[in-house]
Amino acid sequence: MTSPTSWEFYKEVETKILWVNICAKDLEGVAISINKWWKTRYPEYKIRVVSKKEFELVKMQADK
């Protein structure tokens, strides 16, 4: 089982988008965990899996 630290997320409440960056090399295992977590915890949100660079950019823009 993949640990929760193998990915990180940022939640945009206004647009109802979850931005997810996968930090692990085991994409299949992490993707299954993320999908289960997303569907049970944030079913009303859309999900976007992005690179580390894009993830940091989204977070910086939200801080402004």
Side-chain angles (χ1 to χ4, degrees):
M1 174 121 186
T2 307
S3 68
T5 58
S6 58
W7 52 278
E8 57 187 345
F9 77 98
Y10 175 75
K11 180 174 69 170
E12 266 185 9
V13 178
E14 314 81 49
T15 59
K16 293 210 179 261
I17 295 177
L18 289 173
W19 298 91
V20 178
N21 174 44
I22 299 175
C23 308
K25 296 192 187 256
D26 176 23
L27 299 179
E28 185 177 333
V30 174
I32 292 168
S33 297
I34 291 171
N35 193 47
K36 183 177 178 183
W37 165 82
W38 166 47
K39 292 291 185 182
T40 57
R41 190 140 186 220
Y42 298 105
E44 68 278 2
Y45 280 71
K46 295 179 184 177
I47 192 167
R48 301 288 183 257
V49 178
V50 296
S51 67
K52 179 70 171 179
K53 184 178 178 180
E54 189 172 351
F55 183 79
E56 293 300 328
L57 183 62
V58 168
K59 283 177 43 178
M60 283 190 329
Q61 287 177 346
D63 289 340
K64 291 183 179 181

